[in-house]
Amino acid sequence: MLGIVVILITLGLLIYLAYRGISLLILAPALATFAVVASLEGRVLASYTQIFMGSTADFIALYFPVFLLGAVFGKLMEDSGSAEVLANAIIERLGSNRAILAVVLSCAVMTYGGVSLFVVAFAVFPIAAALFRQADIPKRLIPATIALGAFTFTMTALPGTPAIQNAIPMPYFGTSPFAAPGLGVITAVVMFSLGMLWLQYRARKLAKEGYGDHDDADFTPDKELRERAAGEGFDLMELPVEQQPVGPPPILIAVLPLVLVIAINLVFTFLIIPRMDTDYLALPIYGETAIDQVRGIWSVIAALVLSLLVLIATNWRRLTGLKQSVDNGANASLLPIFNTASLVGFGAVIASLGAFLLIRDTVVGVGGDNPLISLAIAVNVLAGMTGSASGGMSIALSTLGETYLEMAQVHGINPELLHRVTAVATGGLDTLPHNGAVITLLAITRLTHRQAYFDLAMTAMVVPFASLVVLITLGTLFGSF
């Protein structure tokens, strides 16, 4: 009983102290040590060096290329002007009479193509503010609108997305970025539709309120905003580099890298890698693994590398600060991956405690004979506790992934369905008020939780949760497709 109380107290401290702004790099190992000492199991140094650091290092070794390449890709999309061109093109095409749809789609196109949420929020907000003001739509709906396009269906549901939330389950289940494509598309459509219905309903209900008295002119990230954003798991290096005025790229040049990310990912996943001779992976020097364990990661790496080369080649004259952009993008990948990896190490230490076996058995037993239900609940709850979609997912999979895979095999469930349920489940309770992306988005838009969080929670938490129910129902009835 003592062990369970200690685990619950530790998780409660993680939520509270993370919300108070304490770095996860300090918080995760400190609380893991506290849990070991308070549970009277006493293996403090061994738990830190052999369990915490071992799990942290394993996560970094596996996913660092994805974090690194994704951050550099998003940085170059921003600094080349491609991100702004895409946002402007979509918004101009749809016009102010479809302001909400225009902002959602502009965010969705960029995040599905691999641009980071942070870059998208900074690129889209000034345009969204002008558009909402012109259409006289309340400003407090902007965070919810950006969140729907950037934090939901393109992050977790659409097959092929290079988002880390779609990459993390691959080694655990031996799947690819395109796991359960039919179910993923249906779930994405449900998310998009429900979110749009909510935003349009709120826009009509709040019509008399209008945009409101807000000073959004000449939006630039001030020092306070930059520091606050950096403290919430992002890096100041992701902010734009001042480039020489060469002119923005044409729309086709701007969209080409995004299209290539998905297309190359698809080609490597289903055409190139399956035809490669990969028997050598069974050798000790390569970790005695199998191609199913690395195929997804290889595909994402290849897609991002080749798309980056095309992005640089087609924007060579525009990227006058290329070295600085690449350096800053690389540096920007460090804080997010170390934050997430620290949470993985924290979860590994918690899982090593004797009381965790009772918690595991209780969680796994939820849902009866349907492991999809307990998997969704476990991932959602951990994502909410850590305030991180990737962090919660990583803890769940590192501690329970093998158990769920065995349960799926017993019940005849395709691992691809486990992958898609896991990914979609991260996009629910992770959007609680202490989530770093939520706090940063509100800081960017210069709104408070009281002003904007209700609608943001509806589009980025309630809607994804409802979509998850649809996904589990369809997957249970028809299997993976």
Side-chain angles (χ1 to χ4, degrees):
M1 184 64 184
L2 172 64
I4 294 177
V5 172
V6 167
I7 291 175
L8 294 177
I9 291 175
T10 303
L11 290 172
L13 288 172
L14 180 66
I15 296 173
Y16 174 74
L17 295 176
Y19 183 67
R20 300 294 297 176
I22 297 179
S23 171
L24 288 173
L25 300 180
I26 301 298
L27 194 56
L31 288 178
T33 301
F34 166 78
V36 172
V37 173
S39 64
L40 304 180
E41 299 198 15
R43 298 180 291 270
V44 176
L45 293 177
S47 294
Y48 177 71
T49 61
Q50 306 308 116
I51 300 177
F52 182 92
M53 288 308 303
S55 298
T56 299
D58 288 344
F59 182 89
I60 293 172
L62 185 59
Y63 295 109
F64 181 62
V66 178
F67 277 85
L68 172 65
L69 294 170
V72 173
F73 182 81
K75 192 74 185 72
L76 293 183
M77 284 291 294
E78 172 74 5
D79 291 348
S80 67
S82 298
E84 186 176 354
V85 166
L86 284 170
N88 278 321
I90 294 172
I91 288 172
E92 288 175 3
R93 180 66 61 88
L94 293 175
S96 60
N97 59 328
R98 295 181 180 177
I100 292 175
L101 177 62
V103 173
V104 170
L105 290 181
S106 63
C107 293
V109 168
M110 285 191 282
T111 51
Y112 186 52
V115 182
S116 74
L117 310 181
F118 184 76
V119 170
V120 169
F122 269 101
V124 170
F125 168 64
I127 309 170
L131 200 61
F132 273 51
R133 185 185 293 276
Q134 182 180 349
D136 205 28
I137 298 172
K139 180 185 176 181
R140 59 165 143 156
L141 294 181
I142 291 180
T145 305
I146 293 176
L148 177 61
F151 297 3
T152 61
F153 57 95
T154 58
M155 185 179 79
T156 63
L158 279 180
T161 175
I164 192 63
Q165 290 79 7
N166 192 43
I168 289 175
M170 295 189 295
Y172 293 98
F173 301 135
T175 50
S176 77
F178 296 89
L183 287 172
V185 170
I186 292 173
T187 306
V189 170
V190 172
M191 260 189 237
F192 171 78
S193 301
L194 291 178
M196 285 298 301
L197 286 173
W198 176 259
L199 290 171
Q200 290 169 346
Y201 159 73
R202 288 287 286 171
R204 290 193 300 269
K205 185 175 181 180
L206 302 174
K208 293 183 179 179
E209 177 181 316
Y211 184 80
D213 184 17
H214 301 280
D215 182 15
D216 302 313
D218 299 323
F219 168 78
T220 54
D222 57 27
K223 180 179 179 181
E224 180 182 356
L225 175 54
R226 289 167 183 253
E227 292 176 350
R228 186 174 182 183
E232 299 304 334
F234 299 101
D235 197 292
L236 300 186
M237 296 298 184
E238 290 191 83
L239 294 176
V241 173
E242 185 176 349
Q243 305 283 353
Q244 296 298 323
V246 181
I251 181 63
L252 292 180
I253 296 297
V255 77
L256 178 61
L258 304 186
V259 174
L260 287 178
V261 168
I262 304 303
I264 296 172
N265 197 346
L266 183 66
V267 170
F268 268 82
T269 298
F270 295 109
L271 295 179
I272 295 179
I273 293 179
R275 297 180 182 179
M276 294 169 58
D277 179 8
T278 56
D279 292 341
Y280 60 84
L281 289 174
L283 296 174
I285 191 174
Y286 297 113
E288 297 178 325
T289 187
I291 187 59
D292 285 344
Q293 302 302 309
V294 295
R295 178 183 57 167
I297 297 293
W298 284 9
S299 298
V300 174
I301 291 174
L304 287 172
V305 167
L306 294 176
S307 299
L308 268 171
L309 294 176
V310 171
L311 173 57
I312 293 172
T314 54
N315 291 279
W316 183 260
R317 293 176 61 249
R318 298 178 189 90
L319 293 169
T320 54
L322 178 60
K323 179 182 180 297
Q324 184 181 356
S325 294
V326 173
D327 287 350
N328 288 351
N331 291 334
S333 68
L334 298 180
L335 185 58
I337 191 170
F338 273 91
N339 276 343
T340 305
S342 294
L343 288 173
V344 173
F346 168 82
V349 173
I350 295 298
S352 72
L353 302 178
F356 182 78
L357 295 176
L358 297 175
I359 296 176
R360 183 197 65 186
D361 293 341
T362 301
V363 170
V364 169
V366 175
D369 293 332
N370 190 344
L372 298 177
I373 296 176
S374 62
L375 173 61
I377 292 174
V379 172
N380 236 312
V381 170
L382 285 169
M385 287 181 170
T386 59
S388 167
S390 57
M393 173 195 291
S394 298
I395 293 175
L397 293 181
S398 63
T399 56
L400 298 171
E402 187 175 346
T403 300
Y404 282 116
L405 187 57
E406 292 174 355
M407 293 174 65
Q409 292 170 346
V410 170
H411 292 89
I413 296 174
N414 192 319
E416 290 198 3
L417 182 54
L418 292 180
H419 175 131
R420 191 54 54 204
V421 168
T422 302
V424 173
T426 64
L429 295 180
D430 73 304
T431 319
L432 287 171
H434 64 291
N435 173 263
V438 169
I439 294 173
T440 301
L441 179 56
L442 293 177
I444 290 171
T445 57
R446 297 173 181 171
L447 294 168
T448 65
H449 279 76
R450 181 175 182 179
Q451 290 172 307
Y453 181 72
F454 173 70
D455 292 295
L456 194 156
M458 288 299 297
T459 60
M461 182 165 61
V462 176
V463 165
F465 186 79
S467 305
L468 178 62
V469 173
V470 173
L471 171 60
I472 293 175
T473 302
L474 292 176
T476 301
L477 293 175
F478 304 107
S480 178
F481 61 88

